[in-house]
Amino acid sequence: MILKKAENPFAFTACWELKEMLGRTARDERQLVEIIEEIPLDSVYYHTHGFFLRHQYIAGPYPNDFATWAAIQVRDHVLAEKLGILDPFEYENLESLRLEIINIIEDHLSRLPVIPRTIYGEPFHFMQSRIIAAPTGLEAWDMADFCAILSSTDSSVVYFHTFEAMLRLGRREGDFPFWIESQLGETELATAISQIDLYMSTLESIRKQIISLCNAGPGKGEKR
């Protein structure tokens, strides 16, 4: 089988996270929600979407920093569960995500006689970050190239072309399905990749799922 050649190659881009401490800390859940109302959106990004870049191989029980802090440091597992089911990819932008986080915490606190706080745990330290793109110089012209490069490149490539493309570039389906459909005409495969559940997956798991889907069809991603 002759693999279809793309008119424009897929250029693989890695990334790294430029982190900055904001100098704001919360020792109880009231302070937490008050600071969330004031922080830059880059801090919301760091503590939600950026969580996936920092946990490339093992998914934690709670997929964002707010839920993890509530569970481990405050030991408020009810709030942790409420924040833990929050899927950041359901929201059009970071501001709407911030508002939902605030609503969840405010509703939780309104039902409690006492504000939960850290007793022996660590306070919540607010950070912010920016994603810096780092082109790898690697290009794929067909499906075999695509799978070979994706299987061996840095996992931050997966983050950049999925999470980063979806939120900051406004490409909801991510870069991989867009290129596979527009350049190789593989609409069904592109749709299947765009339906991978990113929320409860690690970067390595997402990489394996994409490659598996590409290799599933006859002659899709296999070397000839």
Side-chain angles (χ1 to χ4, degrees), residues 72-93:
I72 296 176
Q73 305 300 339
V74 184
R75 301 188 179 183
D76 182 349
H77 293 281
V78 175
L79 179 60
E81 291 292 337
K82 292 178 179 177
L83 292 172
I85 62 174
L86 190 66
D87 184 351
F89 305 105
E90 291 182 349
Y91 299 87
E92 291 186 359
N93 53 55

Side-chain angles (χ1 to χ4, degrees), residues 10-214:
F10 188 92
F12 290 83
T13 299
C15 65
W16 57 280
E17 191 176 29
L18 182 62
K19 305 174 186 175
E20 178 185 0
M21 293 191 70
L22 291 180
R24 308 283 307 268
T25 59
R27 292 189 175 277
D28 64 43
E29 293 176 359
R30 171 57 62 195
Q31 292 176 347
L32 181 75
V33 71
E34 289 176 350
I35 296 176
I36 290 174
E37 292 174 348
E38 302 170 354
I39 54 175
L41 289 175
D42 281 341
S43 184
V44 177
Y45 178 89
Y46 176 89
H47 293 298
T48 54
H49 297 76
F51 184 92
F52 296 90
L53 181 59
R54 297 190 298 277
H55 297 78
Q56 301 182 12
Y57 301 100
I58 301 175
Y62 302 105
N64 64 69
D65 290 338
F66 301 124
T68 300
W69 180 75
I72 296 176
Q73 305 300 339
V74 184
R75 301 188 179 183
D76 182 349
H77 293 281
V78 175
L79 179 60
E81 291 292 337
K82 292 178 179 177
L83 292 172
I85 62 174
L86 190 66
D87 184 351
F89 305 105
E90 291 182 349
Y91 299 87
E92 291 186 359
N93 53 55
L94 290 169
E95 189 58 56
S96 59
L97 174 59
R98 183 217 302 261
L99 289 175
E100 184 61 20
I101 293 170
I102 291 171
N103 289 337
I104 290 173
I105 300 174
E106 290 284 12
D107 179 71
H108 178 68
L109 293 180
S110 71
R111 303 168 189 270
L112 300 177
V114 178
I115 304 298
R117 59 174 291 123
T118 57
I119 303 298
Y120 302 107
E122 294 291 323
F124 190 95
H125 297 283
F126 284 86
M127 305 276 292
Q128 67 177 354
S129 66
R130 291 183 182 276
I131 297 300
I132 308 299
T136 65
L138 300 171
E139 295 182 341
W141 289 91
D142 58 31
M143 190 60 74
D145 288 345
F146 178 82
C147 288
I149 296 172
L150 182 60
S151 66
S152 60
T153 193
D154 187 85
S155 58
S156 69
V157 166
V158 178
Y159 182 88
F160 186 83
H161 291 296
T162 53
F163 296 95
E164 185 70 3
M166 291 171 63
L167 183 66
R168 299 202 174 191
L169 305 182
R171 186 170 289 168
R172 297 297 299 172
E173 73 274 33
D175 291 336
F176 296 138
F178 178 80
W179 181 80
I180 288 171
E181 181 173 16
S182 64
Q183 293 295 314
L184 302 182
E186 296 281 0
T187 302
E188 188 176 335
L189 175 59
T191 300
I193 292 175
S194 68
Q195 292 176 343
I196 292 174
D197 183 1
L198 305 178
Y199 180 53
M200 295 304 290
S201 301
T202 65
L203 294 180
E204 286 304 319
S205 171
I206 294 168
R207 183 210 305 265
K208 290 178 181 177
Q209 291 180 69
I210 293 173
I211 293 174
S212 176
L213 287 169
C214 291

